[in-house]
Amino acid sequence: MKKFALAGNPNCGKTTMFNSLTGSTAHVGNWPGVTVDKREGVYKKCPEPIAIVDLPGIYSLSPYTSEEVIARDFIMDEKPDCIINIVDATNFERNLYLTTQLMEIDRPVVVALNMIDALDKNGEKIDEVTLSKRLGLLVVKVSALKETGLEELMNVAYEASKKERKSTTVLKDGPLGHLIGDVTIALKGQNIDNPLFHAIKLVETDEIEVRSHAKAFEVVEEFKKVFKDELFGNDLEAIIADGRYKYITTNYSPTLTKRRQNEAEMTSSDKVDRVLTHRIWGIPIFLVILFAIFHITFSTNFLFLGGLFSEDWVSCAGTAFEGVFGEGGISSPGVTLQSLVVVGADAVMSLVESGLVAIGSPDWVVGFLVNGVLEGLFSVLSFVPQILVLFLLFSILEDSGYMSRIAFILDKFLRKFGLSGRAFMPMIMGFGCSVPAMINTRTLADEKEKVATIRVIPFFSCGAKLPILIGIAGAMAVSFGIGNADLVTYGMYLLGIVVALVCVLLMRNTTLKGDLPPFIMELPTYRMPQFKSLMRLLWDKLKHFIKKAFTIILASTIVIWFVSHFSFDWQFLSDEQMDMSILASIGKFIQPLFTPLGFGSQCGQWGWMFVVACFMGLLAKENVISAFSSLAACIVVANPEIMAMDAIPKLIAVTGASPAALIAFIAFNMLTIPCMAAVATARGEMPDKKTFNFTILFWLVVSYSVSMMVYVIGTAWWTVFIFAAVIVVAFFIIKAFFKDKDKKAEVKA
Ligand code: GDP
Ligand code: MG
């Protein structure tokens, strides 16, 4: 099968084009660095099917980061039959810089002038016929988003792929051109593929090239000596870059007719930026927006209208609307959706229960299916609406281009902790799922910054941990009458962020010291988030979630029910006897470990359920709440008041777990070793086994100590001073220790 590669700058629309051509649903986002790995699909409208490969964005063929290496290696080693170079027409000149490099490869290259729709809107025009002549490449105008010109592009590329293409370069003039010409001939003599391309890279003294063509580089050094006097200075990389830009401005730029712009006129993007990226207000605005997101998703007192409606009015609306008009307030859209799912789930459960009873099923079957399986499943599924709402709102922020600006504003702030603004994007992605977030750290050039970022990504609480937060926060509101779920959740998210920052600061000052590269990230233009791509994202997320629910979560729930209803000598146990089960015995054995965190031995006979939930979370974080709920639902106690309660409040009542212990429980699960999938990803992205092992230890230590702090401070608030003092002293000791070590290392060197 023929293979066409999509190559271009970050954010020029490669993935959008890929999706349009192949009907895939790969993630499109309005910020550089969304695609960090290559992806393949098939285009079927040419005479033969064609494999299309979406590559990470690159500015040049000299890679700095691992995603760039992926793109370059593919282009150089896998020899695609045609390279489709996507050029963002609204960023014309800068995008052509890469084009001048792609044309130096002996491969068919076709230029796709993308975002023509946006160019039109700006009132600008490109003369593609002249441009094509001057480039010596075929040019097709397209809009990947509006799906115009794509068929023509593919036909042109298909025809081009049948012919050989000889490389050309814009660096032909002067002594530089001469030098490149001579080196090319020398490389040709050595039978090296793509002699022109390698010649230029060798003249640039590109690190990777010099390593892989050591012999040829000696020749270059000789040539360089000959031309020494004719070349100004020695920074050939800069001279070459300059040569390319000069050529672009004199030959290609004139094909673009710009709109005559009033000097004082600002684009609307600039106007918006004046407010949103304000030096002082930028960060507060961001925090308010974040809170608004949590409020829309979790609040049971939407827009704080609670006081406006009298109790009578609410009760008059009837119980059917209980979810919409919560106690004394209106539910936010997220909570409203959730309560609808809960109503549905409850109906299904009681239907199944009465059905089973009617056909005379034994008690244990009813218990197993209703309390064990359904309760566990629904406890997770009922949070899906809120996860989706949260995810949707975050996606809108990303797609509009706002998040990239926050990365930009936060760069200075993050630098104080030893991270660059670039690390912000993967961290924010962590709110969705740690797995893609960890993979996205490939955009970070510094290895140590990458390791530090991967370690703290799980602290940015992911979608699967959300049910733990809301489930417990909601149950706390019921049991103790405290807190609105949005405040508790927002607070827990902030706790995760603070812990992440402190840990990064510590690591970057001790084991992961390193210099930060300067932060260069272009700000994408503000764009209207695309409804289609948002819906696609949500649909993907929903599918993923449902799949997980009916595989790993369902299986875990069933296993848990069995090991909690059999004793070691394989005696079947009823719900009342559950605390003699296999699971209970193991849980009780480990339970004391969690006593300092508040949900250990002090929780008595049923406290092992907390322990079991934590362990089940290692498979998938949704398991924490499903295991918890299905076990708790089985608790049968004499007290009729407790019997009528929901699963988690019931457990809180029988264990006497305090609010501080419950918050500590959330904190522990949020910060501890993430799920299996994330652990495997972290292993793959880490440089070596030792770093990985240390990472696991790091997660355990951090979760345990932070959670203990939460519990102790929550129990006796004045201990906060003791902890603060200990932390400050510890920090200085560690810092001094590492300074000493550095000095010794310096002396040795
Ligand atoms: P990639 O980084 O090159 O893969 O770029 P993406 O495909 O992720 O797209 C980046 C942004 O550009 C997204 O917000 C897209 O919606 C937008 N975009 C892509 N193609 C077009 C187009 O033809 N016209 C317009 N107006 N926007 C586009
Ligand atoms: Mg992409």
Side-chain angles (χ1 to χ4, degrees):
M1 193 162 28
K2 275 187 192 280
K3 226 178 226 177
F4 293 1
L6 303 180
N9 284 12
N11 220 31
C12 68
K14 293 176 299 300
T15 304
T16 310
M17 168 101 68
F18 175 79
N19 287 345
S20 297
L21 291 177
T22 63
S24 316
T25 55
H27 188 155
V28 173
N30 189 15
W31 43 282
V34 185
T35 312
V36 287
D37 210 343
K38 58 175 193 273
R39 206 181 283 112
E40 258 190 71
V42 179
Y43 178 75
K44 296 193 183 110
K45 289 191 201 154
C46 276
E48 56 182 305
I50 289 167
I52 307 280
V53 184
D54 182 23
L55 295 174
I58 41 175
Y59 291 108
S60 84
L61 289 172
S62 306
Y64 290 103
T65 64
S66 53
E67 40 157 359
E68 289 170 350
V69 173
I70 291 171
R72 165 182 154 142
D73 285 356
F74 185 84
I75 295 173
M76 297 313 297
D77 302 342
E78 310 232 346
K79 302 205 164 39
D81 298 284
C82 181
I83 300 168
I84 299 183
N85 174 210
I86 302 179
V87 167
D88 173 359
T90 61
N91 261 317
F92 184 56
E93 285 145 310
R94 218 227 0 253
N95 273 241
L96 286 174
Y97 184 74
L98 177 66
T99 314
T100 64
Q101 298 184 41
L102 290 173
M103 64 170 72
E104 287 157 1
I105 305 170
D106 290 313
R107 286 273 115 202
V109 177
V110 171
V111 172
L113 262 187
N114 190 28
M115 311 226 187
I116 283 300
D117 58 312
L119 193 76
D120 276 349
K121 238 192 215 152
N122 291 350
E124 303 185 338
K125 240 193 166 61
I126 291 174
D127 171 5
E128 85 269 29
V129 179
T130 311
L131 177 66
S132 167
K133 246 184 242 153
R134 294 187 181 170
L135 281 170
L137 300 171
L138 289 165
V139 176
V140 184
K141 284 183 172 174
V142 299
S143 164
L145 189 68
K146 306 270 186 256
E147 307 199 354
T148 57
L150 296 184
E151 251 173 73
E152 190 196 342
L153 171 70
M154 287 308 289
N155 289 336
V156 168
Y158 183 64
E159 290 308 317
S161 72
K162 291 185 193 158
K163 294 176 211 132
E164 294 258 316
R165 188 184 144 268
K166 272 271 143 261
S167 53
T168 53
T169 178
V170 298
L171 306 165
K172 281 185 294 248
D173 299 331
L176 181 67
H178 205 133
L179 172 59
I180 291 172
D182 286 353
V183 178
T184 312
I185 293 170
L187 290 182
K188 249 186 215 159
Q190 299 181 10
N191 264 336
I192 287 176
D193 253 6
N194 280 313
L196 176 63
F197 174 82
H198 290 298
I200 294 171
K201 288 288 160 217
L202 283 176
V203 171
E204 271 182 5
T205 329
D206 177 295
E207 249 175 65
I208 301 178
E209 290 284 331
V210 172
R211 241 180 287 135
S212 51
H213 297 101
K215 196 92 189 270
F217 188 61
E218 283 168 21
V219 182
V220 178
E221 290 289 287
E222 287 305 310
F223 276 116
K224 270 193 194 166
K225 271 182 210 146
V226 177
F227 286 99
K228 202 174 161 209
D229 301 329
E230 292 165 66
L231 295 167
F232 344 88
N234 241 338
D235 189 356
L236 279 163
E237 201 182 342
I239 294 174
I240 287 181
D242 195 54
R244 292 188 198 279
Y245 273 120
K246 282 215 176 95
Y247 196 90
I248 292 172
T249 28
T250 46
N251 294 288
Y252 305 147
S253 301
T255 60
L256 170 73
T257 327
K258 285 198 176 154
R259 185 167 50 120
R260 226 175 281 161
Q261 212 171 23
N262 198 332
E263 285 281 314
E265 192 185 332
M266 273 203 308
T267 63
S268 45
S269 213
D270 288 339
K271 275 185 219 151
V272 176
D273 266 344
R274 275 242 294 235
V275 181
L276 290 184
T277 59
H278 189 271
R279 206 160 35 87
I280 297 162
W281 296 115
I283 292 180
I285 291 177
F286 175 57
L287 287 177
V288 170
I289 291 181
L290 264 192
F291 181 74
I293 288 182
F294 283 91
H295 189 66
I296 293 173
T297 316
F298 304 116
S299 181
T300 44
N301 186 5
F302 192 48
L303 300 178
F304 304 105
L305 292 174
L308 293 183
F309 298 95
S310 67
E311 288 288 320
D312 297 345
W313 201 81
V314 172
S315 57
C316 154
T319 46
F321 294 101
E322 212 166 42
V324 186
F325 307 104
E327 276 167 54
I330 299 179
S331 293
S332 62
V335 175
T336 308
L337 285 173
Q338 191 222 8
S339 43
L340 288 180
V341 177
V342 170
V343 170
D346 284 348
V348 172
M349 282 203 329
S350 51
L351 204 71
V352 172
E353 189 169 359
S354 49
L356 287 173
V357 171
I359 57 170
S361 320
D363 276 356
W364 72 269
V365 172
V366 179
F368 166 64
L369 286 176
V370 177
N371 288 340
V373 176
L374 288 183
E375 178 78 37
L377 263 190
F378 286 149
S379 66
V380 175
L381 286 178
S382 65
F383 294 109
V384 169
Q386 276 167 311
I387 292 171
L388 292 186
V389 170
L390 190 70
F391 198 70
L392 176 74
L393 295 174
F394 268 114
S395 303
I396 291 176
L397 288 195
E398 272 178 29
D399 274 10
S400 62
Y402 177 65
M403 281 297 193
S404 314
R405 281 157 173 90
I406 298 304
F408 179 75
I409 304 181
L410 285 182
D411 183 52
K412 228 163 131 198
F413 174 75
L414 286 175
R415 250 162 221 282
K416 294 197 181 116
F417 294 89
L419 290 181
S420 65
R422 245 174 205 266
F424 175 74
M425 249 10 244
M427 292 193 299
I428 278 287
M429 284 175 86
F431 285 135
C433 174
S434 296
V435 172
M438 285 175 176
I439 293 173
N440 195 266
T441 57
R442 289 179 192 171
T443 55
L444 303 175
D446 178 47
E447 181 93 298
K448 288 180 173 159
E449 184 187 11
K450 181 175 162 164
V451 171
T453 310
I454 291 178
R455 283 187 185 151
V456 299
I457 278 175
F459 300 169
F460 293 80
S461 188
C462 73
K465 291 178 187 168
L466 200 59
I468 311 175
L469 272 76
I470 325 170
I472 307 268
M476 269 167 62
V478 173
S479 300
F480 304 103
I482 44 166
N484 189 338
D486 61 342
L487 286 173
V488 176
T489 349
Y490 188 61
M492 290 317 283
Y493 272 82
L494 286 185
L495 176 73
I497 296 173
V498 170
V499 172
L501 287 178
V502 172
C503 288
V504 164
L505 182 67
L506 207 64
M507 285 189 277
R508 294 293 277 171
N509 275 299
T510 55
T511 53
L512 293 175
K513 261 189 187 165
D515 292 327
L516 275 184
F519 178 48
I520 314 165
M521 176 160 136
E522 61 174 311
L523 294 186
T525 34
Y526 281 108
R527 290 208 176 88
M528 205 54 194
Q530 294 299 315
F531 182 75
K532 204 165 99 187
S533 85
L534 285 178
M535 285 307 120
R536 235 183 225 162
L537 275 181
L538 286 194
W539 175 236
D540 274 357
K541 189 94 187 155
L542 182 67
K543 255 194 333 207
H544 176 74
F545 207 87
I546 300 223
K547 206 168 118 197
K548 228 166 148 190
F550 286 99
T551 50
I552 192 164
I553 301 171
L554 179 63
S556 311
T557 319
I558 294 175
V559 170
I560 286 187
W561 192 88
F562 275 98
V563 283
S564 63
H565 284 80
F566 279 97
S567 63
F568 269 119
D569 46 8
W570 295 112
Q571 284 288 314
F572 175 73
L573 305 169
S574 68
D575 284 352
E576 288 91 336
Q577 302 165 312
M578 219 169 41
D579 74 323
M580 295 186 303
S581 64
I582 300 175
L583 195 63
S585 314
I586 300 173
K588 280 178 181 170
F589 181 70
I590 307 172
Q591 208 176 340
L593 269 182
F594 293 90
T595 306
L597 313 189
F599 49 93
S601 302
Q602 60 270 70
C603 287
Q605 192 188 4
W606 300 105
W608 54 271
M609 291 183 179
F610 289 101
V611 180
V612 169
C614 292
F615 275 88
M616 293 313 290
L618 297 179
L619 289 177
K621 289 293 161 182
E622 291 93 340
N623 266 344
V624 174
I625 216 71
S626 68
F628 210 59
S629 305
S630 68
L631 284 172
C634 298
I635 298 182
V636 179
V637 278
N639 193 336
E641 219 177 83
I642 292 177
M643 275 206 54
M645 281 188 188
D646 281 342
I648 302 177
K650 200 188 272 181
L651 184 65
I652 295 176
V654 296
T655 56
S658 66
L662 293 170
I663 297 275
F665 177 78
I666 303 180
F668 181 77
N669 281 293
M670 197 168 87
L671 302 173
T672 199
I673 302 174
C675 70
M676 242 170 17
V679 170
T681 311
R683 175 69 194 98
E685 297 295 322
M686 292 270 170
D688 52 62
K689 184 112 185 131
K690 205 174 131 212
T691 319
F692 170 71
N693 289 343
F694 189 78
T695 303
I696 298 281
L697 184 70
F698 166 81
W699 283 327
L700 279 175
V701 170
V702 170
S703 55
Y704 196 86
S705 39
V706 172
S707 164
M708 180 175 70
M709 246 157 46
V710 167
Y711 174 62
V712 175
I713 294 173
T715 311
W717 65 270
W718 49 265
T719 50
V720 76
F721 300 114
I722 300 176
F723 281 113
V726 170
I727 290 172
V728 170
V729 171
F731 192 81
F732 280 109
I733 292 177
I734 291 172
K735 206 164 170 184
F737 175 75
F738 274 88
K739 215 173 233 160
D740 234 37
K741 236 177 152 180
D742 283 352
K743 260 193 208 136
K744 268 183 205 148
E746 255 168 52
V747 171
K748 259 189 205 157

